[in-house]
């Protein structure tokens, strides 16, 4: 019996005895270490069914009993019903208890995903015995809020959606050429100037259409603290990303001295209104280093080490043309005894690796940070394919597998003409379900360096929450099962069973108000006819 759970548990049993009843008499008994799950049950299940879920004593019947048993895996749990119509959730740690509560919510039916009771405040299910633990410790989603800003409430909602799918890492892409989204008090122009652009390319960069409405927004430091606290309550780690030394035009538009002033008139630059790889990169100067140390100093205060042990520095798509033309950059290469511009970028990244390491954090960057040599403790997000991740893991570096050919959710879901602004390869729900984060070419020792996997959502053609929903769902459900469950080899996975369970899961997504792509195709208002995308035909290469 798998009870239509997503992601699928390690083991689920049904012996036909009495089960669990949720009604006005149900109480919650919470042992030490389970307080966050106790709060979540009251606010979430309590709201869905209109029940108080009051604190209960040890012997109370019809109770939800929460406890920690360190003999289980840290994020593992055991959920079982008892003869007194209670349910016990035992986790290997606080996070395990929380993931067990997510399973309880699924067992109670789609009604448990509402915000207010639509009918009677009761629910029940039969005898259940679930044992479960995740395959990977890093199960993530990267959300780009730089290309199109998502207001704070939408970010909090996405944290809830991650939690509902037992995903535990939120990679927060906060800066790019098209916008700077986090308040840095010592550098106010980053948000006064860098958070706003005058207009926006509508569709792919080859499109001739523009949206002339100014676009922007940013999170105050208090917003960030709230987002981080909200994630922590849901046992989600947050990985903030400040993209350097490329993807930096928004910062340069705010503080022109950060750019290569001996090559271009950086004072004339504005926040970029187009998409693609931007030539305007940071100058490799001492001033730039001190400036971004100041940024990271404030960032580390906003993202405490227990929630954000990793800090992402980007490091991708940094064209070296301006450095080749810049007398100052060439002088720096000679001064440091470097071979070329690739090593100059490596020096830039290594500087911040040392700086973050000294403050108890770990640097992670896109796989281009391998070029020119990688600092010892740094980790790699392998996005251009598997190759960067394989090279990093074989060299002893930790890796998060997120190859664009497989798990970039901005890529289109169908080859039909109705897909809104179609980008990239077709990646269907089944394609994502058959994604394997650990390539078979990895040695056993190197495979231990694969921390896990994440799906990435770049928002150039996603102007709002509904568009993000359409691209992310339902594929995130398939990705969540890949990241959590111990699945067979890709060709042997039972996609038919997953589809059967999805029939129930769509009802949960409906209750949550998720604007997912229907399997039969986009609804009329989800289409964007006449707006140019960049579809790529054929099967994506396995690189």
């Amino acid at each position: 019996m798998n009870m239509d759970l997503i992601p699928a548990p390690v083991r689920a049993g049904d012996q036909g005895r009495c089960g669990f009843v949720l009604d006005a008499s149900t109480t919650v008994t919470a042992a030490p270490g389970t307080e966050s799950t106790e709060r979540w049950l009251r606010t979430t299940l309590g709201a869905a069914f209109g029940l108080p879920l009051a604190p209960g004593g040890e012997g109370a019947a019809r109770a939800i009993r929460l406890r920690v048993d360190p003999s289980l895996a840290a994020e593992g749990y055991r959920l079982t019903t008892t003869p007194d119509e209670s349910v016990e959730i035992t986790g290997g740690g606080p996070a395990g208890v929380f993931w067990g509560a997510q399973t309880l919510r699924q067992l109670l039916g789609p009604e448990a995903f509402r915000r207010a009771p639509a009918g009677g405040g009761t629910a029940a299910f039969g005898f259940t015995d679930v044992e479960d633990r995740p395959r990977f410790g890093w199960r993530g989603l990267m959300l780009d809020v730089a290309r199109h800003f998502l207001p704070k409430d939408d970010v909090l909602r996405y944290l809830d959606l991650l939690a509902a799918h037992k995903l535990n890492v939120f990679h927060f892409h906060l800066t790019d050429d098209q916008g700077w989204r986090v308040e840095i008090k010592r550098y106010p122009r980053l948000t006064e100037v860098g958070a706003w652009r005058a207009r926006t390319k509508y569709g792919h960069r080859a499109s001739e259409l523009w949206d002339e409405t100014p676009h922007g927004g940013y999170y105050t430091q208090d917003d960030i603290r709230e987002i981080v606290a909200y994630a922590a309550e849901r046992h989600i780690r947050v990985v903030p990303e400040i993209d350097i030394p490329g993807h930096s035009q928004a910062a340069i538009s705010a503080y022109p001295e950060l750019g290569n002033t001996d090559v271009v008139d950086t004072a004339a630059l504005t926040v970029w209104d187009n998409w693609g790889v931007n030539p305007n990169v940071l100058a490799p100067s001492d001033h730039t280093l001190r400036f971004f140390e100041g940024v990271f100093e404030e960032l580390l205060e906003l993202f405490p080490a227990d929630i954000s042990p990793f800090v992402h520095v980007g490091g991708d798509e940094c064209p070296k043309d301006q450095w080749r033309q810049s007398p100052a950059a060439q002088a720096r290469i000679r001064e440091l005894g470097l071979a070329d511009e690739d090593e100059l970028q490596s020096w830039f990244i290594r500087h911040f690796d040392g700086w973050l390491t000294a403050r108890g954090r770990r640097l992670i960057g896109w796989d281009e940070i391998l070029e020119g040599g990688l600092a010892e403790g740094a980790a790699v997000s392998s996005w251009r394919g598997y190759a960067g991740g394989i090279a990093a893991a074989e060299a002893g570096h930790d890796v998060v597998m997120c190859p664009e050919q497989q798990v970039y959710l901005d890529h289109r879901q169908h080859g039909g003409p109705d897909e809104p602004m179609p980008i990239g390869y077709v990646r269907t729900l089944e394609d994502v379900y058959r994604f394997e984060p650990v390539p078979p070419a990895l040695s056993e020792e190197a495979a231990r360096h694969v921390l896990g996997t994440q799906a990435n959502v770049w928002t150039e053609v996603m102007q709002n929450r509904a568009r993000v929903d359409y691209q992310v769902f339902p594929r995130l459900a398939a990705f969540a099962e890949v990241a959590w469950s111990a699945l067979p080899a890709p060709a042997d996975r039972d996609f038919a069973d997953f589809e059967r369970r999805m029939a129930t899961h769509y009802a949960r997504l409906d209750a949550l108000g998720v604007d997912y792509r229907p399997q039969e195709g986009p609804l009329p208002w989800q289409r964007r006819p006449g707006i140019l995308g960049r579809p790529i035909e054929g099967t994506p290469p396995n690189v």
Side-chain angles (χ1 to χ4, degrees), residues 148-319:
H148 279 100
F149 178 68
L150 276 179
K152 178 185 72 176
D153 277 1
D154 289 344
V155 174
L156 299 179
R157 173 178 176 267
Y158 257 84
L159 291 170
D160 279 328
L161 291 171
L162 292 189
H165 292 83
K166 298 187 174 76
L167 297 171
N168 70 341
V169 175
F170 178 60
H171 177 166
F172 205 8
H173 183 81
L174 287 163
T175 73
D176 218 296
D177 300 301
Q178 297 86 357
W180 184 284
R181 305 285 176 232
V182 55
E183 177 188 27
I184 303 296
K185 294 201 169 173
R186 74 187 73 183
Y187 305 129
R189 288 176 58 84
L190 285 173
T191 44
E192 289 170 2
V193 174
W196 310 92
R197 59 179 182 261
R199 64 175 188 168
T200 300
K201 175 65 74 171
Y202 195 44
H204 181 252
R205 61 180 174 271
S207 165
E208 295 181 356
L209 300 175
W210 294 90
D211 181 344
E212 298 291 345
T213 309
H215 178 84
Y218 66 92
Y219 309 102
T220 66
Q221 294 203 350
D222 206 46
D223 290 339
I224 293 288
R225 289 188 189 95
E226 182 181 357
I227 288 166
V228 169
Y230 200 83
E233 277 283 290
R234 285 146 186 80
H235 302 276
I236 294 170
R237 283 177 288 157
V238 184
V239 180
E241 180 181 356
I242 302 293
D243 213 333
I244 55 176
H247 286 290
S248 295
Q249 183 160 321
I252 296 168
S253 72
Y255 292 93
E257 67 274 16
L258 296 173
N260 294 284
T261 55
D262 54 352
V263 178
V264 291
D265 178 10
T266 55
L269 294 177
T270 58
V271 177
W272 206 26
D273 56 15
N274 212 329
W275 317 125
V277 178
N278 186 301
N280 295 298
V281 303
L282 297 174
S285 65
D286 289 340
H287 174 77
T288 301
L289 297 181
R290 300 292 90 76
F291 183 97
F292 278 91
E293 285 171 3
V295 169
F296 284 120
E297 274 179 16
E298 291 195 25
L299 207 73
L300 295 192
E301 289 178 12
L302 299 173
F303 295 89
D306 56 336
I307 308 303
S308 301
F310 286 89
V311 174
H312 208 292
V313 299
D316 62 315
E317 296 179 330
C318 177

Side-chain angles (χ1 to χ4, degrees), residues 85-107:
E85 296 183 330
S86 295
V87 66
E88 292 181 353
I89 301 173
T90 305
V97 177
F98 184 70
W99 305 131
Q102 296 296 336
T103 295
L104 171 64
R105 187 188 196 187
Q106 291 197 11
L107 291 169

Side-chain angles (χ1 to χ4, degrees), residues 135-138 386 389-390 393-394 399-403 406 434-454 479 482-483 485 487-490 493 542:
R135 178 184 178 192
F136 293 111
W138 185 301
Y386 288 107
I390 292 171
E394 295 286 4
V399 175
V400 176
M401 286 293 189
C402 49
Q406 314 295 333
R434 297 193 190 281
F435 164 61
E436 173 48 51
V438 181
L442 272 187
S443 68
E444 191 177 333
E445 184 180 350
R448 285 197 283 272
H449 283 289
V450 178
L451 299 175
T453 182
Q454 71 182 32
F479 175 80
V482 167
S485 306
L487 298 176
R493 293 178 188 172
N542 193 350

